[in-house]
Every structure is written in C-alpha cells, then in structure tokens.
Amino acid sequence: MESTPTLKVNPIYESQDNSAVDTFLGYLSLPQDAWKDKAITEPKKDSDPQIWAWNRAEKSSKTEIQIKMRAVFPNITMDKFFEFLQPENAIHWNDLPVFKVIQELPEENANIMYTQSKKPSVPLVDKRDFISKQYLKKGYFINDDGTDAAHVSVR
C-alpha cells in the first residue's frame, strides 16, 4: 500500500489564517465511505483529464454541500495548472454566465468572487448567485529542500 507523504507548510504562509485550507484537508482525509455518488469521466483521448468526483452533504442549522474531486491532467505541470486557476485566466475557460473578482485580498492570497450559475433544467428553480472566497496559495506545501511540493486552491 502506498504511504501518504508528510507535507510541510511553507513558512511564508504560517502567519496567515489557513483555516480554510485546514478544513479542506480535513474533508479530504475523511474515509472514502463518508462520500457518495462517485462519478467518473473517462477520457476520450490520452491528453484528456480523467476525473473522479464524490459529494456529501451535512445538514444542521445550515446545509453544506462538499464536493471532492480528483483529476489527473496528463502532460501539464502543477505550475501550469495553477496558472489556469488564476481568475484572470479562468475567466476565459469558465462557462458560468458570471464569473468575476469583486475584491482582491493579496495579504491572504485570496479573492472574493461573484459567480452566477446557469439555470438548471428543474422547473421553478432559477439560476443562482454565489459569493465565495477563493484561496490560491502557490507553493503552500514544500519539500525538505524548499522546492514546491504542492499548490493549494480552495473555494
């Protein structure tokens, strides 16, 4: 069985509030049976991504829906993929009717985003507006030699 590497947080992020990243990593570490409705997209050609997706919902005083996705993109580096996630680049490929940054928060490596979903094919349900905070932390995890091990994007 493959062991999970120990990841070291880059010291440049240690003074920031990383609770969103910690929450995200907590969800990822839940046992697989806590997730349901696995969906797999099979690539049509070798250069297409292969994607696994699961979801779960927590109902209490609020409803929280979580989506966990694992995507393998062949022939692309983590740096190039992270560049695609930057809002100024995502605007060109994101197919939401509205996708824009309404406030930049450089001290947090974050942006407040406004997005609007498409109208679902469900009668009486209209398109929806979302305000979310997106964290983009380049080199959040580092190797022992200080090189980037992983970037983190949480919304």
Side-chain angles (χ1 to χ4, degrees):
M1 183 172 181
E2 191 177 313
S3 65
T4 304
T6 303
L7 299 172
K8 185 165 100 177
V9 175
N10 191 328
I12 66 171
Y13 295 114
E14 287 178 348
S15 64
Q16 294 182 359
D17 175 8
N18 293 308
S19 58
V21 175
D22 294 339
T23 300
F24 166 72
L25 294 174
Y27 290 145
L28 289 182
S29 67
L30 289 171
Q32 192 57 42
D33 61 3
W35 299 87
K36 58 186 171 184
D37 300 324
K38 181 177 177 182
I40 300 176
T41 60
E42 292 295 330
K44 292 184 173 87
K45 53 188 182 213
D46 289 342
S47 60
D48 287 347
Q50 185 167 8
I51 300 172
W52 297 262
W54 303 264
N55 66 40
R56 62 189 299 271
E58 289 184 8
K59 295 177 183 168
S60 57
S61 60
K62 62 178 182 173
T63 299
E64 183 177 309
I65 298 172
Q66 302 140 10
I67 299 171
K68 175 173 107 169
M69 182 177 84
R70 178 176 183 260
V72 176
F73 294 87
N75 307 318
I76 187 168
T77 66
M78 72 174 182
D79 290 334
K80 193 64 168 171
F81 188 75
F82 193 76
E83 187 180 314
F84 289 142
L85 296 176
Q86 303 303 312
E88 65 271 14
N89 297 325
I91 280 173
H92 301 292
W93 58 262
N94 195 306
D95 64 351
L96 293 172
V98 178
F99 180 89
K100 63 182 176 180
V101 174
I102 56 176
Q103 184 179 1
E104 294 180 1
L105 303 167
E107 68 283 355
E108 297 181 50
N109 298 89
N111 296 304
I112 304 295
M113 309 291 295
Y114 168 63
T115 57
Q116 187 179 81
S117 68
K118 295 177 181 176
K119 181 180 178 352
S121 59
V122 179
L124 303 174
V125 176
D126 204 358
K127 55 189 171 188
R128 297 198 171 116
D129 298 308
F130 296 93
I131 303 287
S132 60
K133 190 172 192 178
Q134 179 186 32
Y135 295 89
L136 291 163
K137 299 194 178 211
K138 185 171 176 59
Y140 185 78
F141 292 111
I142 56 173
N143 297 308
D144 288 335
D145 64 2
T147 58
D148 291 347
H151 309 313
V152 172
S153 171
V154 176
R155 185 181 310 165

